[in-house]
Amino acid sequence: MLDKPSATSTQDVIDEGHISDNSPANRLEIYSLVNDGLVLSHTRALYGKVTMLERLRFAQSPTEHLFVGTDRYMYFTLSWDSQTQQLHTDKTYVDQADKTSRDSQTQDGCHIDPTKQYMALQLFDGVITILPLVTKGKKRTASEAVSLGEPVPARITEFFVRSSGFLYPREGIDAQPRLAILYEDNHQRICLSLKSLDYTAGGSGDPGSASLDDVTARDDLEPGASHLIPVPAPAFGLLVLSESSITYFDDINGEALIEPLKEPAIFVTWTAIDVQRWLLADDYGRLYFLMLILENDEVKGWKLDLLGITSRASTLVYLENGLVFVGSHQGDSQLVKIQEDGVQFVQSLANVAPILDFTIMDMGNRSGESHANEYSSGQARIVTGSGAFQDGSLRSIRSGVGMEDQGVLGEMDHISELFPLRSRGDKEHSDILIAAFVNETRVFQFTTSYEVEEREEFAGMSLTEGTLYVANISGNSLLQVTFSRIRILDLESGMANAEWSPQDANSITVASANGDHLVVSVGGSEALTLDLSKDLQVVARRTFPEDGQIACLQVANVCRDTAIAGFWQSGAVAIMRLSTLETLRRVVISLDAVNVPRSLILTQLIANELPTLLIAMANGEVVMFSFDPARHTLNGRKATILGTQAATFKALPRDDGLFNVFAICEHSSLIYGSEGRIVYAAVTAEEASCVCPFDSEAYPGAVAIATESDLRIALVDTERTTHVQTLKIDETVRRVAYSPKLKAFGIGTIARELKGNYEVVHSSFRLCDEVLFKELDRIQFENEEMVESCIRADVRDGSDELVERFVVGTAHMDTADQDVVRGRIFVIAVTPERKLKTVAKLSVMGACRALGVIDGNIVAALVKTVVIYSLNGPELTKLVTYRTSTAPIALSISGAQIAVADLMKSVSVITYSRPTHPGGSHSLVEIARHFSTAWSTAVCNVDDQTWLESDAEGNLMVLKQNVAGVNADDRRRLQVESEMRLGEMVNKIQRVEVEESGNAVVVPKAFLGTVDGSIYLFALITPSKQDLLMRLQQAIASRVQSPGNVPFNTYRAFKNSVREAEEPFRFVDGELIEKFLDCPSTTQEQVCEELGNVDPEEMRAMMEGLRRIH
């Protein structure tokens, strides 16, 4: 999985340390409220999609508990253990699934009785599940003294419930808890019912009984009534929020106080500030302040003020001191502060949900040897159409190491190397930056006030020639190595304390030093060691006739008595004793005469482990060894390809004494140690040509980065994270298409606005630049005409030549006039001036849900039909049609085959044939079908005769045609090869093309984008590893417990309205099996023994390779 779910659906607050619990789909995130905002303190993955989140405060409990409910009708309770800083499961999951009841047609609800005696769950129509909050015996500990009792169903006659909640009890009046229910009856009237809860505890295993008896009811509410707000003392009663009014009901005498709103509003959520004030949010992102006007504890009216505009809220939580958390499913979640003049934005938490469409901009990173796969999503940039309406945006998502620019020094071309220096030997931070060019050197001095000055001279350095190496050394001195000489300079006087030049006019080609000694290569064929403490005295000299010229050279700080060299001709690496240049170990890295070492570095990446030697080869491959300083041996060879050209390494120090390595190539990467393993992560510095650490007072922990055109200072993250760049569109980005040739996006958007009291919706197609996301041009569609589909395609324009076009399908919103055309297809060209031009359009009697291209022709999924059109100048000509079962939703085209995802009837596969003779007809013939009911959402061809399908209930299925079947019926049947429950509805599946290697464990095939903001990577397991990984999944699932102790098999088992499985079938959850790396070594050994005496080291290497993929 590349990106975790980011949409906030439910949220609550634990009072211990003001910790906010935020639930994005299947993860529980705990944030601490600090001065600067919310800080993520803890996160855990859950086995289920969270639908309910409620805090519980038991009478004898020292801390609050968290009630969690999932979409599989399971619930459990958690608490925070302040000693272990972990979530603790208090009550193991309870399965409340009832196959005889109908799922609630509205969102699942959870309410706590204000007296803290009962909890009510709204899971099914006509049923309220009551859970008593029971107190156990006195001899129990505080954590054991309270718990949830056994659930008891209570039948109600109200079905379509819009809102509900317990009323606050009046002292001396309310003997039993009362539940208010806002619902729609069979006559579409909006009604309010008050019910009294009568609960009788059971005994000896009997769960007891509960009933909800009518107290009062009324059926004259406004049709737009949507929410109930129970009002606490002193006013009591409840508020009803409607689209055009707010009503206060007195629950004793039944009187209603109705006051109209100044402007209509569709309220979506609310939160209480105190007993008299609330915050309300509407569907347009407006945040309101509601206050009751009391007189002698009686409600005389209310006041509603607009505070400001936020993301469209899914949930609101008032924290403290005016701080409010706005949790959003279709925009960024926000932390805002309520002030007298409105809303102040304190913090924004990125959310890419819902992902309506996405496209892949670029691919990279091929892996080479060992167990690394030939693909890394760290080099894939995915652009999504996210959010809805005013929260709509384009999001550029990339998993890698982020880089934040701090400043640009100016435009400079062809910088060959960068070096940090201190102007005085006793300074702690660097303040001098050296930029080396081929024929000159430039010096920049930084001050603590962020000022930069270019120096005309510095410490006697030679600035009229290029610098190979420069560094501070002991004695307040400076070491400078140029192509022609080596000098030790005094920092104060600038005088040369020592100087050395090669003989016979040879040039110095490579230099490296460790503070005590300097090793250089002269003429490429000779290596010399010079003692820096003895005025550059040559202590060793050697040529390498058997290896040829020296390509790269390093003296490492981690092994100060060792020098390492790589050679051009032999493709070998020599480990030498620094003082004598005697070869201690020689290793041939490549037998290919062209693929030779070009750069190398020996450094400490992982604590308490052997140093790591990284070697960059000419073909873009990075070979990695563990280096044993005692025996001077290289062990555990692994290889990864970062690009097509050799990388250049630079060590970046970390605060913990370790180093990260910046690998500079066409896909720059950061190589670092994490959790005992070495990780390669893409860096957002795409055009870097050289890098150096630059820890200055003005820019602590920064790096200097040179590109082809400029020099800048930046901060680089120490580890990989998911980076999201946002371009606000302020409209729903319904469809996204990308053209690498045009370097532009084509996006279909839907805008919504209020004109008077009416909502107006309109749609357009835009052309946007890929770099600046600047809008270049747009085509506005007719009123009530919405974008449904959009692709970039190479189509024939009436000749045999292919031309690039954008193809857009639209649909008209429902109208009473049945003669109105229901949709159109547009073929759009981009002119040399980067303007949009409609070259053809066609009106169709149905919405165009999906588009594709086959053999240069356009494939359109219309209502009940799939049609192939040819482009003939300004016209689209129908070639052939195919009738589907209900309505085609998505298409996947591979070769001459078209997979059609049907709205209700799963997937069918049809094949397209051109006429075999002049005057013949085109044909579409169904060759295979999945004979099952499935509400399809997306389909994608992932292998020969194999398709991946997703449905609206969050399941994934791999379907394969049995082409070797015995009879025709067998060959027409799509068989289920694998199935599992993802738990999120997939909106788009995009195939990726990755070259397969012989030793790859898995082969990536597709990305999946979901409504909850997740981006998943789907891969096929190579046949030789399928059994091993499935048995590993079973072994890990039995040892790794999720919060609530929900069984993994139950969580991932296929489930829809027709069928429910007991476990996933031939599907492996990558996130689960990668937890093998997090298990103790003893557990790893037990798992490997259970799998059949698998080598634990090999298994660790395999899992590291899988984790590197994403």
Side-chain angles (χ1 to χ4, degrees):
M1 183 173 71
L2 174 67
D3 185 30
K4 300 181 180 69
S6 57
T8 299
S9 55
T10 51
Q11 197 265 355
D12 216 315
V13 174
I14 297 180
D15 287 341
E16 181 181 319
H18 300 98
I19 296 175
S20 172
D21 279 329
N22 176 30
S23 173
N26 65 340
R27 302 192 74 85
L28 193 66
E29 296 179 348
I30 300 180
Y31 290 82
S32 297
L33 182 61
V34 297
N35 293 332
D36 297 332
L38 296 173
V39 176
L40 182 63
S41 302
H42 187 73
T43 180
R44 286 291 302 274
L46 303 176
Y47 285 170
K49 181 177 178 179
V50 177
T51 58
M52 294 181 289
L53 199 62
E54 189 66 58
R55 57 175 175 167
L56 300 172
R57 169 72 78 174
F58 296 113
Q60 289 86 358
S61 177
T63 183
E64 287 192 337
H65 296 245
L66 198 63
F67 175 88
V68 182
T70 74
D71 60 339
R72 297 295 292 264
Y73 306 110
M74 298 179 182
Y75 68 82
F76 48 89
T77 58
L78 307 171
S79 62
W80 181 255
D81 191 327
S82 58
Q83 294 183 347
T84 62
Q85 295 292 297
Q86 295 289 328
L87 286 172
H88 176 263
T89 298
D90 296 306
K91 184 176 182 63
T92 302
Y93 82 99
V94 177
D95 191 347
Q96 275 295 291
D98 186 353
K99 296 181 180 180
T100 63
S101 299
R102 187 176 67 182
D103 296 351
S104 174
Q105 299 178 56
T106 56
Q107 186 176 3
D108 293 348
C110 174
H111 305 291
I112 306 293
D113 167 32
T115 63
K116 304 295 189 294
Q117 297 182 67
Y118 305 100
M119 174 186 288
L121 304 181
Q122 179 188 332
L123 305 176
F124 304 100
D125 284 342
V127 179
I128 298 293
T129 303
I130 304 299
L131 286 82
L133 278 58
V134 299
T135 302
K136 299 182 179 179
K138 297 181 179 179
K139 295 184 179 181
R140 303 274 184 170
T141 64
S143 61
E144 297 174 331
V146 288
S147 71
L148 292 174
E150 292 298 316
V152 179
R155 298 287 176 177
I156 58 175
T157 57
E158 297 80 7
F159 281 83
F160 194 84
V161 177
R162 294 188 175 186
S163 181
S164 58
F166 280 105
L167 296 183
Y168 285 87
R170 300 173 185 260
E171 186 176 355
I173 298 179
D174 296 331
Q176 296 174 321
R178 290 182 299 163
L179 184 69
I181 299 176
L182 179 68
Y183 67 100
E184 181 179 337
D185 67 8
N186 294 331
H187 302 288
Q188 297 184 340
R189 295 176 301 184
I190 308 305
C191 309
L192 175 66
S193 174
L194 297 185
K195 295 179 177 294
S196 175
L197 172 62
D198 184 10
Y199 173 81
T200 302
S204 301
D206 181 11
S209 62
S211 63
L212 288 168
D213 303 320
D214 290 334
V215 176
T216 184
R218 54 189 308 154
D219 57 4
D220 56 349
L221 275 67
E222 179 186 322
S226 59
H227 291 76
L228 298 180
I229 301 180
V231 179
F236 296 104
L238 74 157
L239 294 169
V240 179
L241 305 182
S242 304
E243 291 183 7
S244 59
S245 67
I246 296 179
T247 303
Y248 169 76
F249 279 99
D250 188 315
D251 57 315
I252 297 299
N253 55 33
E255 294 181 357
L257 176 62
I258 305 175
E259 292 191 15
L261 300 174
K262 294 180 180 179
E263 293 183 356
I266 303 174
F267 295 110
V268 292
T269 187
W270 60 272
T271 187
I273 299 177
D274 54 29
V275 298
Q276 195 175 343
R277 300 178 298 172
W278 295 266
L279 293 174
L280 314 179
D282 74 0
D283 194 45
Y284 284 82
R286 293 178 294 200
L287 188 65
Y288 298 90
F289 177 85
L290 172 65
M291 183 178 67
L292 287 182
I293 300 174
L294 302 181
E295 188 176 298
N296 297 325
D297 295 339
E298 293 185 3
V299 177
K300 296 300 182 181
W302 49 260
K303 182 180 180 183
L304 185 70
D305 295 319
L306 177 63
L307 297 175
I309 304 295
T310 67
S311 297
R312 194 271 192 191
S314 300
T315 182
L316 292 174
V317 173
Y318 183 79
L319 300 176
E320 60 178 22
N321 300 325
L323 288 173
V324 181
F325 179 79
V326 181
S328 178
H329 181 270
Q330 63 186 45
D332 291 340
S333 295
Q334 298 165 334
L335 182 66
V336 300
K337 187 176 181 64
I338 306 301
Q339 297 181 325
E340 291 185 2
D341 57 348
V343 174
Q344 175 190 354
F345 291 91
V346 178
Q347 186 180 6
S348 181
L349 303 178
N351 166 37
V352 299
I355 297 176
L356 303 178
D357 195 10
F358 71 89
T359 185
I360 303 171
M361 277 189 64
D362 54 61
M363 306 289 290
N365 262 27
R366 304 289 188 266
S367 312
E369 300 180 18
S370 184
H371 295 278
N373 183 55
E374 285 212 358
Y375 172 81
S376 170
S377 64
Q379 296 295 356
R381 176 180 291 124
I382 297 175
V383 177
T384 68
S386 299
F389 299 117
Q390 68 270 14
D391 297 313
S393 64
L394 278 180
R395 306 286 179 125
S396 175
I397 303 172
R398 188 176 184 182
S399 177
V401 175
M403 185 183 71
E404 181 181 355
D405 288 342
Q406 302 295 298
V408 179
L409 273 68
E411 295 184 359
M412 301 178 206
D413 297 332
H414 308 301
I415 297 175
S416 59
E417 192 56 274
L418 295 171
F419 303 95
L421 290 177
R422 304 185 306 275
S423 59
R424 297 196 316 271
D426 59 351
K427 287 182 69 69
E428 182 180 356
H429 297 278
S430 301
D431 60 345
I432 300 292
L433 179 61
I434 304 297
F437 298 80
V438 175
N439 54 7
E440 68 170 334
T441 301
R442 298 173 67 175
V443 181
F444 300 92
Q445 184 162 14
F446 289 71
T447 67
T448 56
S449 57
Y450 302 97
E451 295 180 355
V452 183
E453 175 189 2
E454 183 171 2
R455 299 282 297 270
E456 296 296 330
E457 63 84 26
F458 175 70
M461 285 182 60
S462 174
L463 304 181
T464 58
E465 56 183 329
T467 296
L468 283 172
Y469 184 85
V470 62
N472 292 95
I473 60 176
S474 60
N476 199 35
S477 299
L478 185 72
L479 171 66
Q480 182 188 18
V481 181
T482 66
F483 295 102
S484 61
R485 56 181 172 169
I486 304 169
R487 295 196 300 164
I488 296 179
L489 306 169
D490 185 82
L491 280 172
E492 293 185 0
S493 65
M495 298 294 291
N497 296 332
E499 184 170 338
W500 182 90
S501 299
Q503 300 176 353
D504 302 328
N506 285 325
S507 296
I508 302 172
T509 57
V510 185
S512 180
N514 62 6
D516 299 325
H517 293 86
L518 168 70
V519 176
V520 296
S521 171
V522 177
S525 60
E526 185 180 27
L528 299 92
T529 301
L530 296 86
D531 194 327
L532 300 180
S533 63
K534 297 181 179 180
D535 297 335
L536 298 176
Q537 177 184 342
V538 177
V539 297
R541 184 190 301 263
R542 183 185 173 189
T543 58
F544 300 87
E546 73 278 12
D547 289 312
Q549 292 193 330
I550 298 172
C552 48
L553 187 66
Q554 195 214 11
V555 181
N557 288 319
V558 293
C559 303
R560 302 182 70 86
D561 62 340
T562 304
I564 304 176
F567 299 94
W568 285 101
Q569 277 77 11
S570 65
V573 166
I575 302 169
M576 303 174 291
R577 182 170 285 113
L578 183 60
S579 58
T580 63
L581 295 181
E582 169 194 0
T583 299
L584 303 173
R585 188 78 58 182
R586 180 177 177 272
V587 179
V588 177
I589 306 301
S590 174
L591 297 176
D592 188 346
V594 179
N595 188 26
V596 297
R598 295 294 304 274
S599 176
L600 54 81
I601 189 169
L602 178 66
T603 190
Q604 193 75 40
L605 295 177
I606 304 176
N608 304 318
E609 296 284 349
L610 294 175
T612 301
L613 175 64
L614 299 170
I615 306 169
M617 307 300 287
N619 66 347
E621 183 181 45
V622 174
V623 181
M624 179 175 64
F625 293 95
S626 293
F627 176 69
D628 188 341
R631 297 185 294 174
H632 300 95
T633 57
L634 300 178
N635 305 300
R637 172 176 174 147
K638 297 179 181 179
T640 298
I641 293 181
L642 294 184
T644 59
Q645 301 175 359
T648 303
F649 297 129
K650 184 69 71 170
L652 304 179
R654 294 169 47 149
D655 295 336
D656 54 8
L658 302 176
F659 290 85
N660 293 341
V661 174
F662 201 112
I664 305 162
C665 56
E666 69 263 43
H667 298 298
S668 296
S669 297
L670 190 74
I671 306 172
Y672 63 93
S674 175
E675 299 177 354
R677 61 191 180 93
I678 294 175
V679 178
Y680 291 74
V683 183
T684 55
E686 298 177 351
E687 300 179 354
S689 58
C690 52
V691 175
C692 78
F694 191 66
D695 184 21
S696 62
E697 291 188 64
Y699 303 101
V703 297
I705 297 180
T707 68
E708 294 182 357
S709 59
D710 60 29
L711 175 61
R712 60 187 63 195
I713 305 298
L715 292 176
V716 178
D717 295 341
T718 57
E719 294 186 357
R720 178 174 64 184
T721 56
T722 298
H723 299 276
V724 180
Q725 295 176 317
T726 303
L727 170 67
K728 287 287 291 179
I729 302 295
D730 298 325
E731 298 178 13
T732 299
V733 181
R734 183 74 176 87
R735 289 288 181 252
V736 182
Y738 173 63
S739 169
K741 180 180 178 181
L742 298 172
K743 296 183 178 180
F745 291 99
I747 60 174
T749 64
I750 300 174
R752 179 184 66 171
E753 59 181 337
L754 283 176
K755 290 186 177 180
N757 293 332
Y758 294 93
E759 182 178 88
V760 178
V761 181
H762 53 83
S763 184
S764 63
F765 177 76
R766 306 185 187 187
L767 183 69
C768 298
D769 180 79
E770 72 167 8
V771 177
L772 302 176
F773 290 106
K774 177 183 177 182
E775 182 178 317
L776 303 174
D777 198 13
R778 76 159 63 187
I779 293 176
Q780 191 73 39
F781 298 123
E782 297 177 354
N783 290 337
E784 305 295 304
E785 185 179 17
M786 304 294 109
V787 169
E788 283 286 347
S789 53
C790 170
I791 62 169
R792 183 218 66 87
D794 293 323
V795 299
R796 290 189 173 88
D797 61 346
S799 64
D800 289 335
E801 295 185 2
L802 296 176
V803 293
E804 185 177 42
R805 296 288 185 261
F806 286 108
V807 185
V808 180
T810 69
H812 281 269
M813 300 178 67
D814 290 340
T815 174
D817 188 356
Q818 298 299 319
D819 295 329
V820 174
V821 174
R822 312 291 282 181
R824 292 192 290 177
I825 298 174
F826 293 79
V827 180
I828 302 171
V830 179
T831 67
E833 295 79 21
R834 307 190 83 181
K835 298 295 183 181
L836 296 174
K837 178 183 178 181
T838 301
V839 296
K841 61 182 176 181
L842 176 69
S843 297
V844 293
M845 295 300 293
C848 183
R849 301 293 187 190
L851 289 164
V853 63
I854 187 169
D855 195 27
N857 298 316
I858 296 170
V859 184
L862 308 179
V863 174
K864 293 188 177 181
T865 58
V866 174
V867 185
I868 296 182
Y869 296 97
S870 65
L871 177 62
N872 299 299
E875 295 184 356
L876 288 171
T877 303
K878 183 187 297 184
L879 299 179
V880 63
T881 64
Y882 163 78
R883 188 171 182 84
T884 60
S885 298
T886 55
I889 294 297
L891 302 173
S892 177
I893 300 173
S894 55
Q897 292 183 341
I898 305 172
V900 182
D902 190 84
L903 176 66
M904 296 176 60
K905 294 298 183 180
S906 193
V907 171
S908 59
V909 181
I910 54 180
T911 184
Y912 166 69
S913 300
R914 300 183 69 180
T916 57
H917 56 84
S921 60
H922 301 259
S923 67
L924 283 175
V925 178
E926 181 178 299
I927 60 173
R929 175 183 289 273
H930 181 217
F931 294 93
S932 179
T933 299
W935 293 77
S936 307
T937 60
V939 66
C940 179
N941 175 258
V942 293
D943 203 2
D944 294 340
Q945 310 301 325
T946 305
W947 291 266
L948 174 66
E949 179 193 8
S950 62
D951 68 18
E953 295 175 270
N955 299 298
L956 293 179
M957 291 176 286
V958 177
L959 306 175
K960 188 175 181 67
Q961 183 183 5
N962 183 16
V963 293
V966 176
N967 52 46
D969 287 341
D970 290 340
R971 291 189 291 273
R972 286 192 65 241
R973 190 175 299 274
L974 290 178
Q975 299 176 343
V976 177
E977 288 282 297
S978 308
E979 64 179 17
M980 71 171 286
R981 182 176 176 83
L982 186 67
E984 304 174 48
M985 191 177 80
V986 175
N987 272 336
K988 175 74 175 288
I989 305 177
Q990 177 72 50
R991 177 166 177 161
V992 294
E993 298 291 342
V994 178
E995 183 179 352
E996 184 177 351
S997 66
N999 58 1
V1001 178
V1002 299
V1003 181
K1005 290 296 184 179
F1007 281 114
L1008 295 76
T1010 76
V1011 295
D1012 290 306
S1014 299
I1015 296 177
Y1016 292 91
L1017 179 63
F1018 172 83
L1020 293 178
I1021 306 172
T1022 54
S1024 62
K1025 303 295 183 183
Q1026 289 177 3
D1027 179 67
L1028 175 65
L1029 293 188
M1030 284 189 285
R1031 288 189 293 117
L1032 174 64
Q1033 176 174 257
Q1034 184 177 0
I1036 296 296
S1038 64
R1039 291 171 169 83
V1040 176
Q1041 296 295 327
S1042 75
N1045 301 325
V1046 178
F1048 170 80
N1049 284 342
T1050 303
Y1051 165 53
R1052 284 302 188 199
F1054 180 94
K1055 179 182 181 297
N1056 63 15
S1057 58
V1058 178
R1059 179 172 60 89
E1060 182 173 354
E1062 295 182 355
E1063 60 183 3
F1065 174 59
R1066 293 175 55 82
F1067 242 114
V1068 174
D1069 187 327
E1071 188 175 16
L1072 176 67
I1073 64 173
E1074 287 171 14
K1075 291 181 180 179
F1076 175 85
L1077 297 172
D1078 302 328
C1079 295
S1081 57
T1082 54
T1083 303
Q1084 292 180 352
E1085 292 172 359
Q1086 291 173 1
V1087 169
C1088 291
E1089 183 178 354
E1090 182 178 319
L1091 296 178
N1093 296 320
V1094 177
D1095 184 4
E1097 187 60 37
E1098 291 183 2
M1099 182 61 71
R1100 280 191 288 268
M1102 184 187 300
M1103 293 303 104
E1104 287 170 357
L1106 292 179
R1107 183 175 283 184
R1108 191 182 301 131
I1109 292 177
H1110 58 84

